[in-house]
Amino acid sequence: MKRIFTRISVLAAFCLLTINVALAQNITVKGKVVDGGDKTPLPGVTILIKGTQNGTQTDENGNYSISAPANATLVFNFIGYTALEQAVNNQTTLNVSLASSTQQLEQVVVVGYGTQRKIDVTGSVGTVKGEDISKQASVNAISALQGKVAGVTITNNGAPGSSPQITIRGTGTIYGNTGVLYVVDGVWYDDISFLNPADIENLSILKDASSQSIYGIRAANGVVLITTKRGTKGQAAITYNGSVGYKVVTNQIEMANATEYATLINELSASSGAAKLFANPESYGVGTNWYNQVFRNALQTNHQLSVNGGGDKSTYNFSLGYTNEDGIVKKQNYQRYTAKLSNDFQILAPLKIGYTVSGTAIKSNDIPSTIFRQLYAAGPVVPVYYADGTYGDANDFSLGGGNNFNPQATIDFFNQKSLNYRLNGNVYAELTIAKNFTFKTSLGGDFGQNEVRAYIPVYKATQGQQSTQSQLDVRREETRNWIIENTLTYKNTFGAHNLTVLAGQTAQRRKSYFLNATAFDVPYSSDGDLYLTLGSADKRSVTDGGALTTYASYFGRVNYSFKDRYLLNATLRADAASQFFGGGDLWGYFPSVGAGWVISQEDFMKDQTVFNNLKLKASWGKVGNAGVPINPTTLTVTQNGGYVAIFNGVAYTGKNVSTLVPSFLNWERTTGTDIGFEAAFLKNRLNIEAGFYNKRTEQAIFEIPVLTSIGTSSGNQIGNQADFQNRGFEFSATWRDTNESGLAYSISGNLGYNKNKVLSVVTGNNPIYAGGAGLSNGGLATRTIQGGAIGEFYGYEVAGIFQNTTEIAASAQKGAKPGDFKYVDTDGNGIINGNDRIVLGNPNPTYSYGLSANLAYKNFDLTVDIQGLAGVDVYNANIASRFGNENFTKDFYDNRWHGEGTSTTYPSVNLGTTANSAPNSFYVEDGSYIRLRNVQLGYALPSLLVNKWKMQRLRFFLDAQNPVTLFGYKGFTPEVGGTPTNAGIDANVYPLQATYRFGVQVTF
C-alpha cells in the first residue's frame, strides 16, 4: 500500500509539473501604487501573485515591477489599507490605488469549528502564521512556538524528532494525559511529530476556557488548532525549500580532568579512612574528555517540494518532505519522510467536497537513555582504548560500581532502531442550504504503527560491560483512531445584527494495542536477519495489551454582535467517555460565555484620534479532562509466579488484588475566568492586548499514598483528590510600519505571568512526595501540599559547611564530618530530621517572555526571535547522584571544601548516599534564562534576473537557532521538563545545542 501511494503521488506531481510549466507564459508588469485619498505614493507595498508566495515590493516612489503569468491576479497588501486584487489580463502597466482600512478589525482568526473576525473574538486566542514557523530549524512545529505567544511555555527535549512539552497557562492537570489537544484539519491528535512544519498555513492556540469549551473533554490543558496549506485558484506554483546545517553543543559542562579527578577520589577515600586509590594523580595528566569523545557536530538536512494551484471548480496542494537529522551523540540519527495531498472540489454551486491525506515514515537509530549520565560520571583516568585496541576498563582502576563503564563501549554495542508509520487525514462535504444554512460532515482517521527493535550481542568490552547471551527485544504498537463530526451552521445579518448559530455532533473511537516479545541466543549476521524464531524456543516470551475508548459528544455555539459594537459568545458541550462507564459521571457538561464591548465603535468615540480600535472583553467557561487510564474504577487482579502454591505435587496459580481503585470517579473539571482588552493606535501600527485570567482545576485526579502493608503493590490510589489554580496576567504588543525609504518592519513582544497554587487536598496538610529521579540516597525532592505549588522543591536549607569538629559538637548534627553541609534547625528542637525541611524552589515558571523583529528592505529580509523564562528553579541531581567514584565538574573541583577554611559554600567530595546527598538548597539553582532563539537573514534575487532563468522567485537564507543562551545554572541547560510532580529535576537531560543553516527557496 505504501509503495502504491508513493507512486501515485509522484506521478501526480510529475503530471502537474509538466502541464503547468508548459502553460506558464510570463510577462513583465509595471506600475505605481498610491494612497486612494491624497494620492501620495506608497513605498513598501507587497505585491504577490495570487496563489503563490512570489512577489515584490514598491520602491520609495511607489513603483514596482514583477514578472507574472499573463492571466494571473496580483494581490496588493499594505498595513492600514484594504487588500486589493487586480487581474493582469495581459496588461504590462497596472497602476492601483489602495483604500485605508481598519485591517486589524477584519483579520480572520481560526477558532473551534470555524473562523471569526478578530474583532468578534471574546476569548483569548493566540495565532502564529505558518511562515513564521518555517523560518526556524525545528523539526517539530511546536518547538518553533517558543516565545511567540504570551502564556505559552515550550520545553524542548533536544533529541532529534522528540516532541516538545507545551504548557498553556500553567499546569492544568497532574495525572494521566497532561498534554494539550492538537486539532489538525479537524482531526484530534495527542502529538504532531508526524507533521511537516512547512505544510502549516496557520496555527491558533486556544488559551481560555471560553474558546476551549467547544472541545469539552480534551480541552483542560489547552487546544492547538492547526490548518494545513490547501490549494488556491491560479496557475500552478512549484516551490522547493531546502536547507543544510549542523548542530553543535553549547554551554558544555567542563568536567574535572584526570589529575583533578584522581585528587578528588583520593580525598573521598581519605574521608572514609581508606588508602589513596591513586599514588600520583599528576601522572594521569588531562586524561579522557568523555564529552568530546562521544559528542559531535551533527548534520541536518531538510527538503520540501510542493505544488499548489487550481481552477474555478477545484484546487489542489501536494507536498513531499524529507528530513535527515543526526544527533549530537555519535550514531544517533533521525529521518522523516512526509507526503501530503489535499483537494477541494466545487461539485455544485451549493456543494463542496474535499479531502486531505498525509503519510509519514520515520526511522531512527537510537542511543542509550543513560548515556548522558555516563558521560557525566565516567572517570577521565580511563582511556577510551588501550594500546592493543581493547576498551579502557574502569575496573582496572578499581573505581567501583558507580562508574564501572566505558561510554564509548556503551555506544558501540547499543543496537536499537525505531520505525514509525502513520497515515492520517480526513474527507469532508459541505452543503449550503437555503442560503443561510451550511451543513458539514467530515470523517477523519489516524492510523499508526510504531516498531522498536533492540539487540544485545554476545560481547565483552570491559569487566562491567559484557553479555554472555544475546537478546532480541521487539515492541510493536498500533493506533487505530477515527472521528466523525457533523455540524449545521446558521449565519445571517439583519440590520445591525449579526448572528451565527452552530450545532454539532461528534463520535470518536481510539484504539491502541502493543505486543512485546523477547528471545535469547539469537545469532547476528546483519540487522535484516534478526528474527525471534532464530532464538532458543524455551526462552521466548510474549506480552501484549491495549486500550479502547469511545466518545459521544453534542455541542452548540451562538455568536451575536450588534452594530459590531456589542458581542456575545455562548457555548455548551456535552461529552460521554467510555472510561467513566459504570464508575463515575458518564456525561460531562461544559458551558462557556464570553462578552465584548468595542468601545471604539461608539458614537462618542468617532471624533477621537487616539484609538483605531478599543475593545473590552470578558469570558467564563468550564472544560474537562478525560485523559485518565482505562476503566479507572474497575478492580483487577494479577497472577504471577509468586502466587503459585503446590498441594500434593500439583501447582496452583493464585491471584491477588494488587491495586486499590476508587468506587466512583468524577470528571476533572477546569473553570476559567478572563478579563482583558485590545487596543490599536496610530493607524493600526501599534496593537496591544492584555488580560488577567484565573484558571481553577476542580476535583483534580490525584494519586495519594496508601499503606502497602494491606497487600497493594503500587502504594497509591487515584481519585478526585484536589483543587488547584493557575492565576496570571498576559501582555503582548506589536508595532508595524513602513518608512519612506521602503523599510518595512514589525516588532512584537509578549510577557506572561503565572502563579500555581494547590487550593485543597483530601489528605489535608499531609503532603504528596515525588521527584526521586537521580537521588542516590532514596530521598524525594518535590512536595505537593495545600497552599503550595505543584511539585515544589522541598528539603533542607544549607547554612554553610562544617569546618571542624568543634562546630559539629555545638550543632544539631552530631554525626556530621568536617566538610559536610550544615543544615538549618528550622523547628529549633536541637535535632535535624525531616521536620526541618522547607520549600526550596519552584519548577513552575513565574514569567515567560518573547521578543520578535521582522525587517524587509528591498530584496533583503531579517528575522530575530528572543525568548526566555524567569522565576523558575532547577534541581541539579547530577552532583549528588553517586554510588561510587563518579566524576565531578570542574566548578566543584575549584570550589570544594578540602580542609578548614577552603570553602563555606561547597561541601567536600563526601556526597554519595550520605546526609549530604539529601535534597537541600545547594542543589536547587536558578533556572532563569534568556535566549537568542532564532536569527535569519534572507536575500531574494531581483525578479528581472530570476525570470530569465524561468523562475518566479529565488531566495537564499542563513540562520542560527539557539546560538546564544544566557543563564546561571551549572548544568547543560536550564530547560528541564518532566511530569508535573517531577518537573525541573536534571538527572539525565539532553544537552542544549545550536543549529546553523544555509538554505534556498525557489518557485517556478
Side-chain angles (χ1 to χ4, degrees):
M1 178 61 71
K2 187 180 77 172
R3 291 181 178 177
I4 294 174
F5 173 74
T6 302
R7 291 173 180 172
I8 292 175
S9 300
V10 172
L11 180 59
F14 177 79
C15 292
L16 292 170
L17 274 168
T18 304
I19 294 171
N20 290 288
V21 169
L23 292 176
Q25 296 294 329
N26 283 8
I27 62 173
T28 300
V29 183
K30 297 181 180 181
K32 190 171 187 175
V33 183
V34 299
D35 184 285
D38 56 19
K39 305 303 179 182
T40 56
L42 295 178
V45 176
T46 300
I47 302 106
L48 294 176
I49 301 172
K50 187 175 181 180
T52 76
Q53 293 299 313
N54 311 313
T56 185
Q57 286 187 331
T58 57
D59 61 19
E60 61 272 15
N61 298 313
N63 297 317
Y64 74 94
S65 176
I66 188 172
S67 176
N71 62 346
T73 298
L74 300 184
V75 182
F76 296 81
N77 278 292
F78 193 56
I79 294 173
Y81 292 81
T82 301
L84 177 66
E85 296 187 6
Q86 192 75 34
V88 174
N89 290 331
N90 290 305
Q91 301 177 80
T92 57
T93 300
L94 202 60
N95 297 318
V96 298
S97 299
L98 296 184
S100 179
S101 72
T102 53
Q103 184 181 25
Q104 295 300 316
L105 301 183
E106 300 300 325
Q107 179 182 344
V108 175
V109 177
V110 177
V111 295
Y113 299 98
T115 60
Q116 283 184 283
R117 295 185 308 164
K118 183 173 176 57
I119 192 64
D120 293 332
V121 175
T122 59
S124 182
V125 181
T127 59
V128 180
K129 294 181 179 179
E131 60 187 89
D132 294 329
I133 294 174
S134 62
K135 286 183 178 180
Q136 299 201 25
S138 302
V139 176
N140 191 298
I142 299 304
S143 177
L145 294 181
Q146 272 195 323
K148 294 289 187 183
V149 181
V152 177
T153 304
I154 309 293
T155 303
N156 289 303
N157 174 274
S162 60
S163 296
Q165 182 177 338
I166 177 172
T167 304
I168 300 175
R169 292 184 168 181
T171 301
T173 187
I174 68 169
Y175 187 81
N177 185 357
T178 61
V180 303
L181 169 65
Y182 298 99
V183 182
V184 182
D185 293 331
V187 183
W188 295 23
Y189 300 94
D190 291 328
D191 76 275
I192 56 168
S193 57
F194 66 90
L195 186 62
N196 188 337
D199 288 330
I200 294 177
E201 179 69 25
N202 55 61
L203 184 150
S204 294
I205 300 177
L206 310 185
K207 297 189 292 182
D208 72 313
S210 173
S211 59
Q212 296 165 352
S213 63
I214 197 71
Y215 290 104
I217 58 175
R218 284 293 314 277
N221 300 314
V223 182
V224 177
L225 305 181
I226 296 175
T227 303
T228 62
K229 295 177 180 178
R230 306 195 72 83
T232 54
K233 295 179 181 180
Q235 196 76 24
I238 304 160
T239 303
Y240 167 77
N241 291 288
S243 67
V244 60
Y246 71 95
K247 299 184 297 180
V248 58
V249 176
T250 58
N251 303 96
Q252 182 168 310
I253 300 174
E254 184 179 4
M255 304 300 295
N257 64 31
T259 296
E260 295 162 344
Y261 170 78
T263 302
L264 294 169
I265 298 306
N266 282 345
E267 292 177 10
L268 182 60
S269 299
S271 69
S272 60
K276 292 183 177 181
L277 193 59
F278 300 99
N280 183 12
E282 289 76 13
S283 65
Y284 292 94
V286 175
T288 303
N289 186 317
W290 286 107
Y291 282 126
N292 290 347
Q293 174 62 29
V294 174
F295 284 170
R296 65 179 176 183
N297 291 343
L299 184 68
Q300 180 192 70
T301 58
N302 284 282
H303 305 278
Q304 199 243 5
L305 179 67
S306 65
V307 183
N308 187 299
D312 293 334
K313 297 296 184 180
S314 66
T315 58
Y316 57 86
N317 182 281
F318 174 73
S319 70
L320 293 172
Y322 171 67
T323 297
N324 189 339
E325 183 178 10
D326 289 331
I328 59 171
V329 175
K330 293 177 180 177
K331 294 179 62 177
Q332 187 179 24
N333 177 261
Y334 171 88
Q335 295 182 64
R336 183 180 66 192
Y337 304 81
T338 61
K340 174 182 170 290
L341 178 63
S342 64
N343 279 108
D344 298 289
F345 305 94
Q346 195 73 49
I347 302 298
L348 300 170
L351 178 62
K352 182 179 181 180
I353 66 172
Y355 69 88
T356 299
V357 59
S358 63
T360 306
I362 298 173
K363 62 179 181 178
S364 63
N365 290 329
D366 304 327
I367 58 173
S369 60
T370 59
I371 187 60
F372 298 111
R373 178 59 196 168
Q374 287 194 13
L375 295 175
Y376 189 99
V381 297
V382 180
V384 181
Y385 304 103
Y386 292 129
D388 61 359
T390 59
Y391 289 98
D393 192 345
N395 192 67
D396 295 339
F397 297 83
S398 302
L399 297 184
N403 60 352
N404 192 13
F405 42 73
N406 181 318
Q408 185 63 55
T410 301
I411 291 293
D412 290 344
F413 289 99
F414 185 82
N415 184 349
Q416 178 174 298
K417 299 182 183 297
S418 300
L419 297 172
N420 185 284
Y421 304 100
R422 292 182 76 165
L423 180 66
N424 45 52
N426 77 322
V427 58
Y428 76 91
E430 190 174 277
L431 178 65
T432 300
I433 307 172
K435 186 180 178 180
N436 299 119
F437 289 90
T438 302
F439 174 76
K440 183 177 181 179
T441 182
S442 67
L443 170 63
D446 177 27
F447 309 100
Q449 180 167 301
N450 184 53
E451 302 174 5
V452 180
R453 193 269 298 145
Y455 180 73
I456 301 174
V458 175
Y459 76 101
K460 182 175 182 181
T462 68
Q463 191 69 26
Q465 294 169 286
Q466 57 179 302
S467 175
T468 59
Q469 185 178 45
S470 64
Q471 179 177 333
L472 175 63
D473 293 296
V474 177
R475 179 178 178 87
R476 178 170 294 175
E477 300 177 15
E478 298 177 352
T479 57
R480 303 289 186 266
N481 306 329
W482 56 257
I483 177 172
I484 297 176
E485 293 188 311
N486 298 290
T487 60
L488 180 64
T489 304
Y490 171 79
K491 189 172 184 179
N492 196 8
T493 298
F494 39 97
H497 306 272
N498 289 290
L499 178 66
T500 302
V501 180
L502 170 75
Q505 171 269 334
T506 297
Q508 294 185 67
R509 192 178 87 153
R510 299 172 60 87
K511 180 181 180 181
S512 64
Y513 175 76
F514 73 86
L515 180 69
N516 293 338
T518 300
F520 295 91
D521 300 320
V522 178
Y524 181 86
S525 58
S526 70
D527 284 351
D529 296 330
L530 292 176
Y531 291 95
L532 296 164
T533 55
L534 299 179
S536 299
D538 59 336
K539 296 181 180 179
R540 297 186 197 130
S541 63
V542 176
T543 59
D544 68 345
L548 175 64
T549 56
T550 56
Y551 304 91
S553 309
Y554 300 91
F555 54 90
R557 180 176 62 205
V558 176
N559 296 105
Y560 170 77
S561 70
F562 177 67
K563 292 185 177 181
D564 286 336
R565 188 180 304 171
Y566 308 111
L567 314 172
L568 180 66
N569 181 319
T571 303
L572 176 63
R573 180 166 179 134
D575 288 304
S578 61
Q579 65 260 50
F580 290 94
F581 181 76
D585 289 339
L586 178 61
W587 283 91
Y589 301 93
F590 307 102
S592 74
V593 62
W597 178 26
V598 186
I599 303 174
S600 55
Q601 294 290 85
E602 294 286 357
D603 292 338
F604 62 79
M605 294 288 287
K606 288 184 178 180
D607 294 331
Q608 60 84 32
T609 58
V610 177
F611 296 100
N612 299 109
N613 173 39
L614 178 61
K615 180 176 73 173
L616 296 181
K617 57 183 182 179
S619 66
W620 173 92
K622 183 172 288 189
V623 290
N625 177 32
V628 298
I630 305 302
N631 301 323
T633 61
T634 301
L635 187 65
T636 59
V637 298
T638 58
Q639 63 181 57
N640 55 48
Y643 302 146
V644 174
I646 299 177
F647 297 98
N648 298 323
V650 180
Y652 296 89
T653 302
K655 299 180 180 179
N656 181 51
V657 175
S658 59
T659 59
L660 292 180
V661 298
S663 59
F664 188 88
L665 199 65
N666 287 313
W667 287 86
E668 181 178 284
R669 296 173 172 86
T670 298
T671 302
T673 303
D674 275 57
I675 300 175
F677 74 90
E678 298 173 14
F681 310 85
L682 304 174
K683 294 184 179 180
N684 290 303
R685 287 178 292 182
L686 176 61
N687 288 268
I688 293 175
E689 186 168 353
F692 166 83
Y693 64 88
N694 185 26
K695 186 173 72 171
R696 176 174 175 141
T697 302
E698 302 166 342
Q699 295 183 319
I701 299 175
F702 244 78
E703 281 187 327
I704 58 173
V706 296
L707 295 175
T708 56
S709 58
I710 64 177
T712 62
S713 60
S714 68
N716 294 298
Q717 179 182 1
I718 69 168
N720 299 109
Q721 318 283 13
D723 295 341
F724 52 86
Q725 76 176 9
N726 288 278
R727 179 180 292 176
F729 173 81
E730 295 170 353
F731 175 84
S732 61
T734 300
W735 173 272
R736 294 184 180 92
D737 197 12
T738 301
N739 63 24
E740 295 180 354
S741 66
L743 173 65
Y745 64 96
S746 67
I747 301 175
S748 301
N750 67 80
L751 172 68
Y753 167 85
N754 184 76
K755 202 68 175 178
N756 179 274
K757 183 179 180 180
V758 178
L759 300 177
S760 64
V761 183
V762 295
T763 55
N765 290 324
N766 294 325
I768 298 172
Y769 295 103
L775 275 68
S776 58
N777 71 339
L780 297 174
T782 73
R783 182 189 71 166
T784 300
I785 194 172
Q786 184 173 315
I790 294 175
E792 60 190 3
F793 298 128
Y794 186 71
Y796 299 98
E797 182 181 0
V798 175
I801 305 298
F802 285 115
Q803 300 295 321
N804 50 54
T805 56
T806 302
E807 289 185 4
I808 295 172
S811 74
Q813 295 170 250
K814 307 300 184 184
K817 296 180 180 180
D820 285 357
F821 285 123
K822 184 187 300 183
Y823 294 134
V824 175
D825 182 11
T826 57
D827 60 8
N829 65 357
I831 301 174
I832 298 297
N833 56 27
N835 295 327
D836 293 303
R837 292 174 295 173
I838 62 171
V839 175
L840 303 174
N842 189 350
N844 303 289
T846 303
Y847 302 96
S848 60
Y849 56 90
L851 181 66
S852 299
N854 294 275
L855 299 91
Y857 181 70
K858 295 184 177 180
N859 293 337
F860 288 93
D861 61 88
L862 176 67
T863 299
V864 179
D865 295 320
I866 297 173
Q867 169 264 334
L869 297 177
V872 60
D873 299 297
V874 176
Y875 191 95
N876 193 340
N878 292 298
I879 302 175
S881 181
R882 302 185 174 276
F883 301 91
N885 294 321
E886 292 88 348
N887 197 10
F888 295 82
T889 63
K890 182 68 163 56
D891 172 74
F892 188 91
Y893 172 83
D894 291 339
N895 296 284
R896 78 195 187 283
W897 186 96
H898 53 283
E900 187 169 351
T902 55
S903 178
T904 58
T905 55
Y906 281 59
S908 71
V909 294
N910 188 30
L911 296 175
T913 57
T914 68
N916 289 325
S917 64
N920 64 62
S921 59
F922 178 80
Y923 304 117
V924 178
E925 303 183 40
D926 185 2
S928 303
Y929 69 87
I930 182 170
R931 169 182 298 156
L932 179 57
R933 173 61 182 168
N934 186 65
V935 56
Q936 183 180 99
L937 176 64
Y939 176 74
L941 271 64
S943 299
L944 294 178
L945 178 61
V946 298
N947 289 340
K948 295 179 181 180
W949 302 336
K950 307 302 180 183
M951 300 177 185
Q952 295 185 23
R953 188 170 189 255
L954 178 59
R955 175 179 179 267
F956 300 96
F957 66 86
L958 292 168
D959 66 19
Q961 181 174 279
N962 302 334
V964 179
T965 304
L966 304 178
F967 57 89
Y969 176 59
K970 295 182 177 63
F972 266 110
T973 171
E975 194 173 354
V976 181
T979 58
T981 56
N982 296 276
I985 298 178
D986 182 3
N988 190 40
V989 173
Y990 204 100
L992 179 66
Q993 57 208 269
T995 304
Y996 302 91
R997 294 191 306 167
F998 168 76
V1000 60
Q1001 299 168 329
V1002 57
T1003 300
F1004 299 91

